[in-house]
């Protein structure tokens, strides 16, 4: 018995929609559990971090990417391979420092907010997709790259784009191993 060619894509779409709806329910429950947006943001970051440290093994096994030689190459792999693989979008990458250790991932479309129109006024400091920052930070840490990851702009807060900032904390020469 053969499958129709569009079947796999249909299952992917259903799974993505289920994930997005489940994520929205998770954030709504966290907002009920915590009074302060900062506590919700921290909880989402911790959850994302836990996901990232586990997800990196799957990513490395499925993507067959080679070792990155620079921070810019790492940022490109995150955008062009990881985001595409797990969220179905490809953010653009821009370097925002002369030192070459700060990058921005600019998302034209953020699939986690497909069913969210705007944040309630009383939740103005909520970073709805902060889970993504934790995932990136956790995954990078598992490949021995310490980084700070945060949202710089968010369409849910009225910004023109959604922008995630990644700052690698070590200088490139610190990464070299001694022999």
């Amino acid at each position: 018995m053969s499958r129709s060619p569009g079947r796999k894509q249909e299952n992917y779409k259903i799974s993505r929609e289920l994930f997005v709806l489940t994520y929205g329910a998770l954030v709504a429950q966290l907002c009920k559990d915590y009074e302060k947006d900062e506590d919700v943001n921290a909880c989402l970051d911790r959850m994302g971090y836990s996901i990232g440290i586990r997800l990196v093994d799957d990513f490395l096994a499925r993507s067959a990417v080679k070792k990155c030689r620079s921070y810019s190459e790492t940022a490109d792999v995150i955008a062009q391979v990881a985001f595409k693989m797990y969220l179905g979008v490809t953010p653009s990458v821009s370097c925002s420092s002369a030192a070459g250790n700060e990058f921005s991932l600019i998302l034209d479309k953020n699939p986690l907010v497909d069913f969210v129109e705007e944040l309630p006024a009383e939740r103005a400091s909520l970073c709805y997709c902060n889970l993504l920052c934790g995932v990136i930070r956790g995954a990078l840490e598992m490949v021995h790259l310490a980084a700070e990851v945060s949202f710089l702009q968010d369409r849910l807060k009225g910004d023109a784009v959604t922008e995630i900032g990644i700052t690698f904390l070590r200088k490139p020469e610190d990464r070299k191993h001694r022999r």
Side-chain angles (χ1 to χ4, degrees):
M1 189 177 236
S2 66
R3 291 185 188 181
S4 60
R7 181 98 169 125
K8 186 175 181 181
Q9 182 66 20
E10 181 182 15
N11 287 341
Y12 167 75
K13 188 172 185 175
I14 292 170
S15 297
R16 181 176 145 190
E17 288 175 356
L18 179 62
F19 173 71
V20 171
L21 289 170
T22 304
Y23 182 74
L26 169 73
V27 175
Q29 185 61 49
L30 289 174
C31 287
K32 289 178 184 174
D33 292 346
Y34 296 101
E35 291 179 18
K36 296 180 182 176
D37 290 344
E38 294 77 21
D39 294 337
V40 176
N41 294 342
C43 188
L44 288 170
D45 184 72
R46 281 191 312 272
M47 288 177 175
Y49 178 82
S50 294
I51 292 168
I53 61 176
R54 289 166 180 80
L55 193 65
V56 74
D57 287 330
D58 178 68
F59 172 76
L60 292 172
R62 290 178 51 201
S63 67
V65 296
K66 304 284 187 220
K67 181 178 178 180
C68 296
R69 303 276 178 213
S70 66
Y71 290 142
S72 63
E73 190 176 340
T74 302
D76 286 339
V77 166
I78 292 169
Q80 296 172 4
V81 182
F83 267 80
K84 183 70 173 172
M85 184 183 294
Y86 293 107
L87 293 175
V89 296
T90 305
S92 58
V93 179
S94 66
C95 183
S96 53
S97 74
N101 68 327
E102 294 180 24
F103 296 87
S104 290
L105 304 177
I106 300 167
L107 292 153
D108 292 328
K109 181 170 175 21
N110 183 350
L112 290 182
V113 298
D114 281 351
F115 302 110
V116 180
E117 292 181 22
E118 63 182 30
L119 295 176
E122 65 273 7
R123 293 291 185 175
S125 59
L126 175 67
C127 190
Y128 183 84
C129 296
N130 212 38
L131 184 95
L132 293 176
C133 294
V135 169
I136 294 168
R137 189 172 54 84
L140 287 172
E141 188 172 300
M142 291 307 292
V143 292
H144 306 290
L145 293 172
E148 288 180 0
V149 184
S150 62
F151 273 87
L152 303 176
Q153 295 184 66
D154 194 345
R155 281 197 172 152
L156 287 179
K157 295 182 180 183
D159 294 321
V161 295
T162 299
E163 180 179 4
I164 301 172
I166 301 173
T167 303
F168 293 98
L169 300 177
R170 292 188 200 108
K171 296 177 184 173
E173 57 270 9
D174 292 344
R175 291 178 42 198
K176 294 180 182 172
H177 298 284
R178 293 182 182 177
R179 291 184 180 209

